[in-house]
C-alpha cells in the first residue's frame, strides 16, 4: 500500500517555465518535507511543514515555494526553473519532527529535467 | 554548522561482512539514522540510534558513540540486493541532515 505518493515520477519542463510537483500521504503525519537530491549527493532539505506551520531553510532559493492545503497534500512550486534545478525531488513525512527521533517515510521521488 | 563524513564507495563480496563508518560534527544532536537508497529510488529507513551502543536488527546492526561523534552500520551475510547507497543522517534542531552516502557494491 502506497503511503507517500509523488506525481509525476518524471517531469520535463523548459527553462523558465513554472512547474508544480505534488505529494500526498495516507499516514496522517504531522510533518511533510521536501528534499532536493542531485546525482551522487545527499538529499538537501528545502523546507518542511509542521501541520500548517511552514519552515523554510535559510539557503533555499526564493524560486522554490511550497503549499500544504490540507494534511494529506503538499506541493512544490518552482517558479522559474533553471538548468541547475534538474534533480530528484523527494517528499517525506514523519509523525513528529526529526528531533524527536521519528523516522521519515519517503515517496518514490520526482525526477525533474529542465531543457 | 554540521559536517557528516562517510566513505564514498566500498566493495565487498556476497556472504561477507562490511562496516560502513560515519563521523559527524553538529551543533545540535538528538540521534542518528541510517537509510538505504537503491539507485533512482527513495531512501528507506534502516535504523535509529539515540543512545551509545549497538542496535541489532537482523543482518544489519548500527553502533553509536556520541562522545566520539561516530557511528557505523554493520551488514552481515551480504547479498547482491544489498548493493545500494547507505546514508548516515543526523537529527538536530528539528531537522535531518544527511551525509553524501556510501555506495556499496556487492560482487558474487
Amino acid at each position: 500500500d502506497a503511503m507517500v505518493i509523488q506525481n509525476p515520477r518524471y517531469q520535463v519542463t523548459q527553462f523558465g517555465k513554472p512547474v508544480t510537483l505534488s505529494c500526498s500521504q495516507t499516514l496522517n503525519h504531522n510533518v511533510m518535507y521536501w528534499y532536493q537530491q542531485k546525482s551522487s549527493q545527499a538529499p538537501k532539505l528545502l523546507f518542511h511543514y509542521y501541520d500548517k506551520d511552514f519552515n523554510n531553510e535559510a539557503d533555499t532559493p526564493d524560486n522554490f515555494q511550497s503549499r500544504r492545503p490540507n494534511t494529506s497534500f503538499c506541493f512544490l512550486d518552482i517558479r522559474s526553473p533553471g538548468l541547475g534545478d534538474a534533480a530528484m525531488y523527494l517528499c517525506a513525512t514523519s509523525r513528529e519532527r526529526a528531533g524527536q527521533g521519528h523516522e521519515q517515510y519517503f515517496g518514490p521521488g520526482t525526477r525533474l529535467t529542465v531543457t | 554548522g554540521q559536517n557528516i563524513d562517510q566513505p564514498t564507495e566500498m566493495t565487498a563480496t556476497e556472504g561477507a561482512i562490511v562496516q560502513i563508518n560515519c563521523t559527524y560534527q553538529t551543533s545540535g544532536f538528538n540521534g542518528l539514522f541510517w537509510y538505504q537508497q537503491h539507485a533512482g529510488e527513495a531512501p528507506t529507513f534502516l535504523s535509529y540510534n539515540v543512545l551509545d551502543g549497538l542496535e541489532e536488527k537482523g543482518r544489519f546492526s548500527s553502533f553509536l558513540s556520541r562522545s566520539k561523534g561516530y557511528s557505523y552500520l554493520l551488514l552481515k551475510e551480504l547479498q547482491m540486493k544489498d548493493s545500494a547507497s547507505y546514508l548516515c543522517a543526523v537529527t538536530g534542531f528539528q531537522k535531518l541532515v544527511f551525509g553524501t552516502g556510501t555506495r556499496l557494491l556487492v560482487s558474487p
Side-chain angles (χ1 to χ4, degrees):
Chain A
D1 292 338
M3 295 184 291
V4 183
I5 303 159
Q6 291 188 244
N7 285 305
R9 294 291 309 278
Y10 300 90
Q11 176 74 57
V12 180
T13 191
Q14 293 177 336
F15 183 94
K17 185 175 181 181
V19 66
T20 295
L21 310 182
S22 72
C23 176
S24 63
Q25 54 137 339
T26 60
L27 298 164
N28 202 34
H29 281 172
N30 289 318
V31 195
M32 294 188 78
Y33 307 82
W34 278 105
Y35 289 89
Q36 178 194 64
Q37 187 177 27
K38 297 186 177 181
S39 182
S40 301
Q41 294 185 21
K44 178 182 178 299
L45 182 65
L46 296 174
F47 24 60
H48 77 273
Y49 276 93
Y50 183 86
D51 195 12
K52 295 180 180 179
D53 181 28
F54 176 70
N55 298 269
N56 197 30
E57 291 300 300
D59 58 354
T60 298
D62 292 340
N63 197 26
F64 292 86
Q65 303 286 318
S66 185
R67 297 170 282 136
R68 188 179 186 186
N70 53 53
T71 301
S72 301
F73 285 87
C74 195
F75 300 98
L76 171 62
D77 300 308
I78 308 177
R79 293 194 292 189
S80 182
L83 298 178
D85 297 327
M88 175 76 87
Y89 289 88
L90 296 166
C91 173
T93 74
S94 63
R95 186 176 303 281
E96 292 293 335
R97 286 191 167 114
Q100 295 171 312
H102 291 267
E103 70 175 275
Q104 294 185 14
Y105 294 78
F106 284 83
T110 295
R111 182 166 295 284
L112 178 68
T113 300
V114 181
T115 61
Chain B
Q2 287 153 319
N3 189 41
I4 301 171
D5 287 317
Q6 303 178 236
T8 303
E9 189 170 296
M10 299 181 70
T11 58
T13 53
E14 208 172 5
I17 300 173
V18 70
Q19 177 174 312
I20 302 174
N21 296 324
C22 171
T23 58
Y24 63 89
Q25 293 173 309
T26 61
S27 52
F29 178 84
N30 294 112
L32 188 144
F33 286 90
W34 283 95
Y35 280 83
Q36 180 191 59
Q37 187 176 27
H38 285 98
E41 298 182 13
T44 55
F45 169 80
L46 289 177
S47 67
Y48 177 65
N49 293 70
V50 63
L51 299 175
D52 287 356
L54 187 68
E55 296 274 348
E56 296 187 75
K57 189 186 291 186
R59 292 190 300 116
F60 294 2
S61 304
S62 57
F63 172 83
L64 176 66
S65 169
R66 295 174 66 129
S67 61
K68 295 182 179 178
Y70 168 69
S71 174
Y72 67 73
L73 180 69
L74 192 71
L75 293 78
K76 302 176 186 175
E77 301 170 17
L78 280 174
Q79 302 175 8
M80 297 297 291
K81 67 178 182 180
D82 297 330
S83 292
S85 286
Y86 291 86
L87 303 168
C88 170
V90 171
T91 64
F93 299 119
Q94 308 294 1
K95 68 179 184 181
L96 199 61
V97 178
F98 284 89
T100 53
T102 299
R103 189 165 61 199
L104 174 66
L105 302 173
V106 180
S107 58

